[in-house]
Amino acid sequence: MSLFNKVFASVGIGAAKVDTRLEKDRVMPGEEIRGVVQIRGGSTEQKIDDIYLSLHTTYIKESDDKKYTATAQIDRFRLTQSFVIKENETKEIPFSFRLPMEMPLSMGRTKVWVTTGLDIKNAVDPTDKDYLTVIPNQVMDGIFSAVSDLGFRLREAECEEAPRHLRRHLPFVQEFEFVPVSGPFRGKLDELELNLYPNNENEIEVLMQVDRKAKGLGGFLSEAMGMDESYVRMTVHASDLPSLKQKIQGAVERYC
């Protein structure tokens, strides 16, 4: 390799390229994901210090009474030790990793993606970006179905910065906002907001915010002061699914 080629490699000219091929892009929280990372050498030999996969999403953050969109790294996985990729050489590295249970779902405005990166010293690190469709698991789907059967429709799903007392491993929590369009809570509630905190694939802690509809002057004053909202916390296990509609209805009715 000539001196000029070494210089070109260090500034990213003729650099290696990376492409990730996922076994599938429709996944559930906690599921194992598999695939292959393909690295193609450029016009000069280069040392790859690291290959990593990272999971990302965006969330709404607030600062100085202003809201803006921030990117969060959900998790990161290192795939291999350092190695040399020769000129025009192709390498394929298989991988597998388990998605965190706290993965946000691809609902509403929420998008989730995998970024693959090569760490090349003194160079412009090449990356690849692949979107995932994260769908509810059995317990999550049972919760949404029970809420839907009670006459609620999903209005919005969005990741928002979580207050410290509601945080676990991530700086945000995904909020699902439902409005009653039929059933026993139409005309009684403005909305029902859900936050899901999975303990494992069979058990989820649910935090529900019940927002009552204002009635009369007292109701409007309560609404203005935020006193029309109540919080309900419950744990939902897979064994609860057959009677979950009644369980949620009973919990919400206490605050109507």
Side-chain angles (χ1 to χ4, degrees), residues 42-236:
S43 59
T44 184
E45 182 180 285
Q46 286 181 299
K47 181 183 178 184
I48 309 298
D49 291 322
D50 199 6
I51 300 180
Y52 58 88
L53 295 175
S54 51
L55 299 169
H56 299 270
T57 192
T58 57
Y59 67 103
I60 302 301
K61 198 170 182 179
E62 189 168 343
S63 179
D64 298 326
D65 295 326
K66 293 182 180 179
K67 292 185 177 182
Y68 63 95
T69 301
T71 299
Q73 179 175 284
I74 301 167
D75 212 339
R76 179 181 167 113
F77 309 90
R78 187 182 185 194
L79 298 189
T80 185
Q81 302 291 331
S82 62
F83 65 94
V84 172
I85 184 82
K86 296 179 181 179
E87 178 183 345
N88 297 323
E89 181 184 10
T90 298
K91 285 183 179 289
E92 289 193 346
I93 300 175
F95 65 85
S96 67
F97 60 88
R98 193 163 295 280
L99 296 172
M101 285 301 305
E102 294 183 6
M103 284 286 292
L105 304 176
S106 301
M107 297 172 66
R109 301 185 216 179
T110 304
K111 289 181 170 51
V112 179
W113 66 91
V114 180
T115 296
T116 310
L118 302 185
D119 187 2
I120 303 174
K121 188 176 181 180
N122 300 324
V124 178
D125 296 343
T127 58
D128 180 38
K129 185 176 181 179
D130 299 276
Y131 283 94
L132 295 174
T133 300
V134 185
I135 61 175
N137 65 14
Q138 180 189 19
V139 180
M140 295 172 182
D141 192 54
I143 293 169
F144 295 140
S145 294
V147 171
S148 176
D149 289 345
L150 287 170
F152 289 93
R153 174 180 59 82
L154 181 67
R155 178 165 61 188
E156 191 173 39
E158 195 165 54
C159 293
E160 297 184 356
E161 184 177 21
R164 293 205 173 273
H165 69 283
L166 292 180
R167 287 187 191 182
R168 285 193 172 178
H169 304 102
L170 300 173
F172 65 86
V173 63
Q174 189 172 26
E175 187 172 89
F176 303 93
E177 186 178 291
F178 292 86
V179 291
V181 294
S182 62
F185 299 110
R186 185 182 180 187
K188 294 182 179 180
L189 299 183
D190 280 335
E191 61 187 23
L192 180 69
E193 296 178 0
L194 302 184
N195 300 136
L196 307 183
Y197 298 91
N199 294 324
N200 52 60
E201 63 180 12
N202 292 314
E203 185 179 272
I204 296 176
E205 289 183 40
V206 182
L207 179 64
M208 296 190 294
Q209 180 178 318
V210 182
D211 190 354
R212 294 180 293 278
K213 202 170 186 67
K215 295 180 180 179
L217 179 59
F220 285 113
L221 289 174
S222 295
E223 189 174 65
M225 298 174 65
M227 297 169 59
D228 62 327
E229 298 171 350
S230 300
Y231 292 88
V232 184
R233 188 182 291 271
M234 66 170 60
T235 300
V236 176

